[in-house]
Amino acid sequence: MSEANNPEIDVDKLMQKIREEVAKLKKDSKIQLVSTPKLFSSLSIKTNNYTSAMNANLNYMEGLLKNAESRAVSRTKWPDNLNRFPFNFSKGIQKLALKILNFIFKDQREVNFNVINALKESVALNRQLIRQVETLRSQLDQESHHLAAIDTRIQERLDTVDNRVKGIDERVDAVDELLSTKKVHNLPEFLEVTEESYINLAIALSKIPTEEHYKHDKKDLFYYLFENVFYQSEIVKEKQKFYLSFINKDLSVSYPFLDAGCGRGEFLQNLTESNIKCVGIDLNQLEIETLKKCGFNVHNAEILNFLENTSERYCGISALQVAEHLSIEDIHRFLILAFEKLVTDGVIIIETVNPHSLYALSNFYQDSTHVKPLPPEMLKFLLEWHGFKAVKIIYSSLIPESARIFPEQRMNYQDYAVVGYKKL
């Protein structure tokens, strides 16, 4: 009789087993803090184990609940094993016995059903929680990949910055080492420099007799004498021979070369000695007259006015140590006119002071007619802007060896030139 009516559910054992499983899952879900990628990787693996274990346990619990539910219902049939002797009762007695038993265990069945329903709700809630956990895990996986990518990019940028800082440190160390070897000791508190009179030197180097100085414009005479002291003609001429290699010799047979701002005529001499027909223009009337006496084809004119009014075409145009005397607007205008007057494949050569050299900059305003230094990168861009092609920068005139303390090569040259071509 006990076997027929007792639902055979040990509620206490079942609840204890549920508590143990929940405690185990809580223990398994603990996560230690690590770096970002490892954190989410560990979390993903543990979450997978967590959901798998939960699903397995819930399936097991559902099986138990189904079995318990089937045993908790009221008995409507006499058990077969009680039909054997001596329990072979009549149908009437069997029905009466079942009614009595069902009445006796009515409250117990109600309790059992309530417990079973509560456990069913718990299982359903846990399954819902598992689905939410899986959704969160999927979102965490996506975020972990995103964070890992960000971490990689940050590391790459940090490596780049680190390499640049190391490069700067190496340069600073190199400069410190160079400076330490160039230190000058025992300097006097006051330094008096006695040199020959500049004006006497200029007059001595002049090809114009002193008694004829009054015949010339004072401004022209001043610059003529100034150049004789601070720009040694033979050194200038020797250096400028290098630029002859950029002139198209075939074009020079048919078209002359124009030296804009020819000054004392060093480059005109180089062109003439190379059998290149040439023309020179300069504002200094004294220097133009001197060059005419030497047989050069030169004109006393302002550069822009000359280019605007001439109908001549040229195989090349040079402006050596001229651009620093012009405003930026005049440089733009000069480049426009030069491009117009050059024949195809004609060359333009512009030489000026190198502002990357501290040594050169220290002497820049020694010439009162200088406007401002021009960075080579900017001047190259201007040539390209106005249509010139294959533009290159050439540094020249090394500073004195005792002053060559800079690891960056271009800082050890006093001058530079930009050379470009008219291409159609």
Side-chain angles (χ1 to χ4, degrees):
M1 188 175 292
S2 175
E3 180 184 350
N5 295 281
N6 193 332
E8 299 183 2
I9 298 174
D10 192 331
V11 176
D12 292 336
K13 287 185 179 180
L14 183 59
M15 293 302 296
Q16 181 61 32
K17 185 171 182 62
I18 291 173
R19 292 190 191 98
E20 290 174 357
E21 291 297 331
V22 171
K24 181 181 178 182
L25 290 174
K26 286 183 178 179
K27 182 179 179 181
D28 290 342
S29 64
K30 289 181 180 179
I31 302 170
Q32 294 181 350
L33 291 177
V34 292
S35 63
T36 302
K38 291 182 179 180
L39 167 65
F40 288 105
S41 174
S42 173
L43 180 61
S44 178
I45 293 171
K46 291 189 176 184
T47 306
N48 280 330
N49 294 336
Y50 173 85
T51 55
S52 298
M54 280 291 289
N55 280 320
N57 287 324
L58 291 175
N59 290 336
Y60 175 71
M61 289 170 62
E62 282 183 335
L64 291 176
L65 290 173
K66 287 179 179 179
N67 182 55
E69 191 174 24
S70 67
R71 291 175 175 269
V73 297
S74 299
R75 286 283 187 176
T76 58
K77 182 181 177 183
W78 188 261
D80 292 334
N81 57 354
L82 292 182
N83 286 326
R84 296 193 297 271
F85 181 83
F87 304 107
N88 191 9
F89 300 111
S90 65
K91 296 292 183 179
I93 295 175
Q94 290 179 4
K95 289 182 180 181
L96 179 62
L98 287 174
K99 286 182 180 181
I100 295 172
L101 289 173
N102 286 336
F103 177 77
I104 293 172
F105 291 102
K106 178 181 178 182
D107 290 341
Q108 182 63 48
R109 282 198 306 276
E110 185 176 350
V111 170
N112 290 345
F113 274 120
N114 288 337
V115 171
I116 291 170
N117 288 333
L119 291 174
K120 282 184 177 181
E121 290 292 330
S122 176
V123 170
L125 180 60
N126 276 280
R127 289 204 181 277
Q128 183 179 357
L129 290 174
I130 289 173
R131 287 194 295 271
Q132 292 177 353
V133 168
E134 289 176 343
T135 301
L136 288 173
R137 180 179 61 79
S138 177
Q139 293 174 353
L140 285 172
D141 286 343
Q142 294 176 2
E143 289 298 323
S144 68
H145 292 310
H146 180 62
L147 290 173
I150 292 175
D151 184 64
T152 301
R153 290 199 296 271
I154 291 174
Q155 189 59 49
E156 289 174 352
R157 293 188 179 184
L158 287 175
D159 291 342
T160 301
V161 171
D162 186 57
N163 291 334
R164 289 182 178 178
V165 171
K166 287 180 180 178
I168 292 172
D169 287 342
E170 290 174 359
R171 290 188 178 186
V172 170
D173 291 341
V175 172
D176 286 342
E177 184 178 353
L178 285 169
L179 290 175
S180 64
T181 62
K182 299 292 182 179
K183 287 181 179 178
V184 179
H185 302 281
N186 302 320
L187 287 172
E189 186 174 354
F190 300 95
L191 179 64
E192 182 178 336
V193 178
T194 303
E195 294 184 357
E196 183 181 355
S197 168
Y198 289 144
I199 192 66
N200 291 337
L201 179 60
I203 293 173
L205 294 172
S206 173
K207 296 178 182 180
I208 303 172
T210 307
E211 60 271 16
E212 295 183 9
H213 285 183
Y214 74 94
K215 298 180 181 179
H216 303 287
D217 180 86
K218 284 188 177 181
K219 183 178 178 182
D220 291 346
L221 179 62
F222 171 86
Y223 202 76
Y224 172 78
L225 295 174
F226 177 83
E227 281 189 313
N228 285 337
V229 175
F230 295 104
Y231 302 102
Q232 298 181 40
S233 187
E234 289 303 317
I235 294 177
V236 172
K237 179 186 175 184
E238 186 63 30
K239 184 191 77 168
Q240 290 180 354
K241 286 181 179 179
F242 178 77
Y243 300 132
L244 295 173
S245 62
F246 297 105
I247 302 173
N248 188 317
K249 295 299 177 61
D250 294 332
L251 288 178
S252 67
V253 174
S254 304
Y255 300 96
F257 189 99
L258 175 65
D259 185 19
C262 59
R264 293 170 295 180
E266 291 91 353
F267 198 50
L268 292 176
Q269 294 176 50
N270 288 325
L271 291 165
T272 302
E273 291 169 5
S274 297
N275 298 316
I276 297 174
K277 184 180 177 182
C278 56
V279 180
I281 55 173
D282 201 280
L283 276 175
N284 193 310
Q285 186 176 355
L286 175 56
E287 291 181 332
I288 290 297
E289 289 176 359
T290 303
L291 289 172
K292 281 184 176 180
K293 290 177 182 179
C294 296
F296 290 102
N297 179 13
V298 292
H299 302 275
N300 182 213
E302 194 271 333
I303 295 173
L304 299 180
N305 289 337
F306 181 87
L307 288 172
E308 286 173 348
N309 295 312
T310 184
S311 59
E312 188 70 76
R313 303 292 299 281
Y314 301 98
C315 67
I317 297 176
S318 61
L320 308 179
Q321 298 297 325
V322 172
E324 66 272 18
H325 297 264
L326 304 177
S327 68
I328 190 65
E329 293 79 10
D330 287 344
I331 293 174
H332 275 288
R333 186 61 185 157
F334 171 70
L335 293 175
I336 292 171
L337 293 169
F339 192 86
E340 290 177 359
K341 301 304 177 181
L342 283 172
V343 296
T344 302
D345 295 327
V347 66
I348 186 169
I349 306 169
I350 301 178
E351 182 191 84
T352 186
V353 180
N354 176 23
H356 290 303
S357 168
L358 296 178
Y359 183 89
L361 280 181
S362 69
N363 297 315
F364 183 82
Y365 289 107
Q366 184 171 265
D367 188 332
S368 61
T369 62
H370 286 178
V371 177
K372 67 176 181 179
L374 301 168
E377 297 79 10
M378 182 197 76
L379 198 52
K380 179 177 185 292
F381 181 83
L382 289 180
L383 263 69
E384 293 172 340
W385 172 261
H386 289 291
F388 292 99
K389 306 296 183 183
V391 180
K392 61 181 67 177
I393 300 172
I394 302 165
Y395 294 94
S396 63
S397 302
L398 278 165
I399 63 177
E401 187 172 359
S402 60
R404 298 173 197 168
I405 63 172
F406 303 103
E408 189 171 348
Q409 290 185 338
R410 63 181 180 174
M411 298 178 71
N412 297 292
Y413 294 87
Q414 298 181 66
D415 302 321
Y416 76 91
V418 286
V419 180
Y421 295 87
K422 178 178 180 177
K423 300 286 186 180
L424 296 179

